[in-house]
Amino acid sequence: MNLLRRPRRLRSSAALRQMVREHTLQTHDLILPLFVSEKVEDRAPVASMPGVFQLSLDALVEEAARAHAVGICGVLLFGIPAHKDEVASQAYAADGIVQRAVRAIKARCPALVVITDVCLCEFMSHGHCGIAEFSGDDVHVHNDPSVELLVKTAVSHAAAGADIVAPSDMMDGRVGAMRVGLDAAGFSQTVILSYAAKFASAFYGPFRDAAESAPQAGDRRGYQMDAANALEALREVALDVEEGADMVMVKPGLPYLDIVWRVKSQFGLPTAVYNVSGEYAMIKAAAARGWLDERATVLEQMLAFKRAGADLIVTYWATQVAEWLRETR
Ligand code: PBG
């Protein structure tokens, strides 16, 4: 055998492998999602997401500070209110749980980028992402009145000091309406990170335990995207970009890497991917049984996001990955 091409040459030592490495994962690529609850003291574990907690305001600030200390640049906040109603009033209350959380984190870590998830499902008694009307098992979520509430929510987050608002509701026209509303309220510098291609996914299951946001009837397929559609995802992203999104997100992550790749290639905007709760739960469950090596699989998966073109990775492992990266430096 006389091979002219020997790709293995470049893999023959750790140093050579390092020299030809195309992608690297860095701590500043990571965003940590955090759940703040008006109902818990200190912290309450989320059964389906080992290592993830619903946090009191004080515990939240501690978690945010701990993440910041290891180099995490941004946190993404979800709020669980004590009271829910049919118009999600706690979503846009000036003293709502998310608004208070933003102020508390900013007071402790002014340089940490605070991103708020803008959605109504955690604040609605029925768990849908907008104003809902039920007929039997079916639900219709009214678009335009929901957008009005979402804009109010985004403005209230900006007023509390959020650097980035991240609409995750999938209503039509919400990004444009939010841009206009934010600008009119004097928040022209507030960044919009749009969950532009968000699929109706079974991988959100554990999150709905954490955020107490499972729909009580019907499902989200009337507003979140069909898993079968890639071109439609590009149309959704195009609309959000036109409407003024500064950054876009694809969600879930691992099962949708093709979408990440296409979105990044086509639009070139800062592109985030959400490594969602079900993706977290899968590895945690397998690792707990000794079936997978958690650290190795997680780092490999993070690299896959980077290779697919993601600039930012929203992951429940953010602080842990930052610690691992420090150890291997
Ligand atoms: C709110 C929202 C959801 C997630 C982020 N924002 C749940 C949903 O749409 O039902 C899921 C995140 C995760 O699974 O980690 N609309």
Side-chain angles (χ1 to χ4, degrees):
M1 199 159 59
N2 183 9
L3 287 176
L4 293 174
R5 296 278 172 250
R6 290 185 180 274
R8 288 184 55 193
R9 248 181 233 132
L10 294 181
R11 296 174 206 144
S12 60
S13 74
L16 271 171
R17 289 194 292 272
Q18 184 99 50
M19 284 176 83
V20 300
R21 192 155 289 151
E22 296 172 39
H23 297 279
T24 45
L25 176 68
Q26 288 172 294
T27 301
H28 62 248
D29 300 326
L30 306 167
I31 294 172
L32 175 68
L34 290 168
F35 299 98
V36 58
S37 171
E38 232 161 19
K39 299 186 295 184
V40 307
E41 265 178 58
D42 198 24
R43 43 184 73 213
V46 178
S48 49
M49 300 176 73
V52 173
F53 299 86
Q54 294 180 334
L55 303 163
S56 68
L57 267 182
D58 288 345
L60 171 85
V61 172
E62 288 311 316
E63 278 302 307
R66 195 165 75 84
H68 199 209
V70 292
I72 299 295
C73 298
V75 292
L76 171 61
L77 300 185
F78 294 93
I80 301 138
H83 302 288
K84 304 184 187 225
D85 57 32
E86 308 268 290
V87 289
S89 47
Q90 285 303 304
Y92 40 86
D95 62 348
I97 184 63
V98 173
Q99 291 77 358
R100 282 189 287 146
V102 173
R103 285 188 223 106
I105 293 176
K106 279 292 178 184
R108 172 79 171 270
C109 311
L112 181 62
V113 174
V114 175
I115 310 168
T116 53
D117 184 85
V118 178
C119 198
L120 305 175
C121 54
E122 297 98 330
F123 303 91
M124 287 286 198
S125 38
H126 48 62
H128 279 285
C129 301
I131 307 249
E133 196 180 311
F134 297 89
S135 52
D137 282 348
D138 278 348
V139 59
H140 176 70
V141 172
H142 292 282
N143 195 84
D144 300 7
S146 303
V147 169
E148 268 176 48
L149 298 185
L150 290 158
V151 171
K152 273 167 76 170
T153 304
V155 170
S156 74
H157 291 175
D163 301 285
I164 304 182
V165 291
S168 72
D169 52 282
M170 289 302 278
M171 297 302 126
D172 293 336
R174 89 274 206 221
V175 171
M178 241 168 239
R179 187 69 273 160
V180 170
L182 287 166
D183 290 356
F187 301 114
S188 58
Q189 295 307 304
T190 306
V191 170
I192 299 180
L193 161 58
S194 154
Y195 287 71
K198 177 172 175 180
F199 289 85
S201 173
F203 286 95
Y204 303 152
F207 171 94
R208 292 176 188 168
D209 295 339
E212 300 177 13
S213 64
Q216 269 155 29
D219 57 39
R220 303 209 201 288
R221 284 180 292 183
Y223 41 104
Q224 297 180 350
M225 288 191 47
D226 186 329
N229 296 352
L231 294 173
E232 188 190 1
L234 297 178
R235 295 198 295 274
E236 277 281 7
V237 175
L239 283 173
D240 285 6
V241 173
E242 236 171 73
E243 290 176 29
D246 301 289
M247 302 171 159
V248 291
M249 178 134 69
V250 173
K251 178 182 175 191
L254 273 194
Y256 295 85
L257 289 182
D258 58 321
I259 310 291
V260 176
W261 175 257
R262 291 211 212 187
V263 166
K264 182 61 180 297
S265 318
Q266 187 153 331
F267 299 95
L269 248 65
T271 303
V273 63
Y274 201 135
N275 176 215
V276 303
S277 57
E279 300 169 49
Y280 179 85
M282 288 193 297
I283 290 187
K284 280 286 183 185
R289 285 167 174 76
W291 293 349
L292 281 178
D293 175 337
E294 180 176 0
R295 177 177 169 148
T297 46
V298 170
L299 290 174
E300 181 177 334
Q301 158 181 310
M302 296 298 144
L303 212 45
F305 292 132
K306 297 286 308 218
R307 206 180 58 241
D311 302 292
L312 294 165
I313 303 164
V314 180
T315 179
Y316 302 99
W317 275 292
T319 306
Q320 174 68 81
V321 169
E323 283 165 358
W324 286 334
L325 291 177
R326 290 193 150 200
E327 286 165 20
T328 48
R329 233 192 354 225

